[in-house]
């Protein structure tokens, strides 16, 4: 069922079960899930809604640049002495969809 407090998804998400490091505005972040229209990231630095960010997905050649807007963010509860982390949803505003689809295909095969 569609919930009023969640954005409508235009593409299927792909979750990552191992750590995939990305850059978020030049800082380290972890990719939680990805689609051709957006991503969910986990960062050690605060992420604030309505802020435009640049994500770079790792690649063997040139990193894949994605520009997006943070549509939601929350502070993750710290676990046993670990520092707090921030989880956020990013809606892409500028992305090369075939490159993201290729990235997803590479990681789906266990790259």
């Amino acid at each position: 069922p569609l919930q009023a407090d969640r954005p409508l998804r235009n593409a299927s998400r792909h979750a990552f079960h191992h750590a995939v490091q990305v850059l978020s505005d030049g800082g380290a972040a972890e990719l939680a899930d990805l689609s051709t229209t957006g991503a969910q990231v986990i960062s050690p630095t605060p992420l604030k809604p309505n802020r435009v960010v640049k994500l770079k997905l790792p690649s063997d050649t040139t990193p894949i640049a994605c520009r997006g807007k943070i549509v939601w963010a929350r502070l993750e509860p710290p676990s046993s002495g670990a520092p707090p982390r921030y989880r956020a949803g990013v809606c892409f505003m500028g992305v090369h969809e075939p490159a993201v689809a290729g990235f997803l295909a590479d990681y789906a095969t266990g790259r």
Side-chain angles (χ1 to χ4, degrees), residues 44-94:
T45 58
L47 300 167
K48 297 182 181 184
N50 297 316
R51 186 170 153 237
V52 174
V53 294
K54 293 178 186 174
L55 295 179
K56 286 192 179 180
L57 306 176
S59 170
D60 290 336
T61 55
T62 303
I64 301 164
C66 306
R67 185 172 166 264
K69 185 176 188 178
I70 297 175
V71 292
W72 61 266
R74 70 173 185 243
L75 174 64
E76 295 272 293
S79 59
S80 50
R85 303 183 322 165
Y86 301 84
R87 185 178 294 263
V90 179
C91 179
F92 292 150
M93 301 170 3

